[in-house]
Amino acid sequence: LMFGVILASSGLLLMIERGILAQVGPPPPHPPAGPSRRDGRDSPAELELEVLRDTRNRTIRALCGQRSMPHSVWELPPGQRRTVLRHLLVSDKYRFLYCYVPKVACSNWKRILKVLDGALESVDVQGKMDHKSDLVFLGDMKPEEISYRLKHYYKFIFVRNPMERLLSAYRNKFGEIKEYQQKYGVEIVRRYRKNGGNSAGDDVTFSEFLRYLLDEDVERMNEHWMPIYNLCQPCAVRYDFIGSYERLHADANHVLEHIQSPSFVRFPERQAWYKPVTAETLHYYLCNTQRRLIKELLPKYILDFSLFAYPLPNITSEFCRQ
């Protein structure tokens, strides 16, 4: 099944096998939000966005329309079905389902859900996010309740450049979170570094992290680096809207307007402590990582690149010399 899907992904696997890792694929990806023109004509950013969404929709229809692909959550193997159902958050009041993807602003979306449900006073309330309490998960419902909501509710997800998302997870979990350093970091260093037995797990290199991902079964990955395809199953769940991290506020406002949320509910601003992954940061990490590692890792995330219209990472020698 996976082999057939990859072959259908616009020839991306062939490009990987040939070592062609330059930016290929869709037109200018994920243009920034821009104001509408007063003369009624679309701005260049709006036209690029329209092309992007059309590319994404056509690719999803082509891949998900294949007979071998799952067309409902009930056609998924039990493990895959559990994963997607426990990532679908429910708002019965506003009749929507949101598939949360870690490292794609999911904490802020959970904050919004809690405000809409009355469990939180404001999206600006400070404090550590509780990712379980006061949230309703589709997986906790009965089969007939699940089917009804999948059929009748507005469904949306937000996606992000796969390599940028991986780098964000790496910097956050191994640079800041002691629990992840102890649970994953110690084992990664022990496994991939000579004489790494004394590490506290807080010095995992990006290359070691990628080697770990290469050896991991996708279905058993931690949700912070599991591919979006596996988390949200866009073939089994027909999403009404796919937002982009690159257009986070504009796309979030589109969703909030569609579900007719109260006017006082807005998408939160980025926290002051948050360290964003810039294009320069991503360039630095990718160009200081063995090309072989990235080349071998891409097939695991190929569906995220192709379905959501993200270009493959450019790690050519010429680009990395810049």
Side-chain angles (χ1 to χ4, degrees), residues 147-296:
S147 294
Y148 177 83
R149 285 160 178 79
L150 285 170
K151 182 177 181 180
H152 296 287
Y153 281 19
Y154 181 71
K155 300 174 287 293
F156 68 93
I157 60 173
F158 274 71
V159 299
R160 186 179 187 180
N161 180 298
M163 293 306 299
E164 183 180 306
R165 177 172 170 251
L166 286 182
L167 179 55
S168 178
Y170 162 76
R171 294 173 75 198
N172 173 237
K173 299 309 175 187
F174 299 109
E176 302 172 3
I177 312 297
K178 197 170 188 65
E179 176 187 351
Y180 276 78
Q181 295 168 359
Q182 295 175 342
K183 183 175 181 179
Y184 296 98
V186 170
E187 171 62 20
I188 290 174
V189 174
R190 185 197 63 79
R191 191 188 300 182
Y192 299 108
R193 188 186 306 171
K194 290 183 179 180
N195 304 317
N198 295 324
S199 171
D202 58 353
D203 58 345
V204 177
T205 67
F206 189 56
S207 293
E208 290 168 340
F209 175 56
L210 296 189
R211 290 181 65 186
Y212 166 73
L213 295 180
L214 271 174
D215 292 337
E216 279 289 280
D217 181 352
V218 168
E219 297 296 335
R220 294 185 176 141
M221 282 184 176
N222 180 279
E223 63 176 9
H224 289 84
W225 42 81
M226 181 182 283
I228 298 173
Y229 177 88
N230 299 82
L231 289 173
C232 294
Q233 296 290 342
C235 289
V237 179
R238 299 303 175 92
Y239 292 96
D240 300 291
F241 183 75
I242 300 176
S244 299
Y245 188 82
E246 295 77 13
R247 287 178 46 92
L248 185 55
H249 281 272
D251 285 352
N253 288 336
H254 171 86
V255 171
L256 293 173
E257 182 177 333
H258 183 91
I259 65 173
Q260 298 183 337
S261 70
S263 59
F264 69 86
V265 177
R266 55 176 175 72
F267 198 79
E269 294 297 327
R270 179 182 291 163
Q271 298 290 334
W273 50 262
Y274 180 74
K275 299 177 182 177
V277 174
T278 65
E280 292 76 19
T281 307
L282 183 62
H283 177 275
Y284 172 82
Y285 275 92
L286 292 180
C287 288
N288 283 280
T289 300
Q290 288 182 319
R291 291 183 65 185
R292 176 187 59 81
L293 272 179
I294 298 173
K295 175 181 174 182
E296 292 176 357

Side-chain angles (χ1 to χ4, degrees), residues 132-151:
K132 298 296 181 183
S133 67
D134 300 317
L135 293 169
V136 180
F137 296 84
L138 193 61
D140 292 334
M141 296 184 170
K142 298 176 182 178
E144 59 271 20
E145 296 173 328
I146 293 172
S147 294
Y148 177 83
R149 285 160 178 79
L150 285 170
K151 182 177 181 180

Side-chain angles (χ1 to χ4, degrees), residues 24-31 47-48 50-56 309-311:
V24 294
H30 306 274
L47 290 173
E48 289 177 7
E50 186 177 339
V51 171
L52 168 69
R53 286 179 174 160
D54 182 65
T55 301
R56 180 188 288 158
Y310 283 104

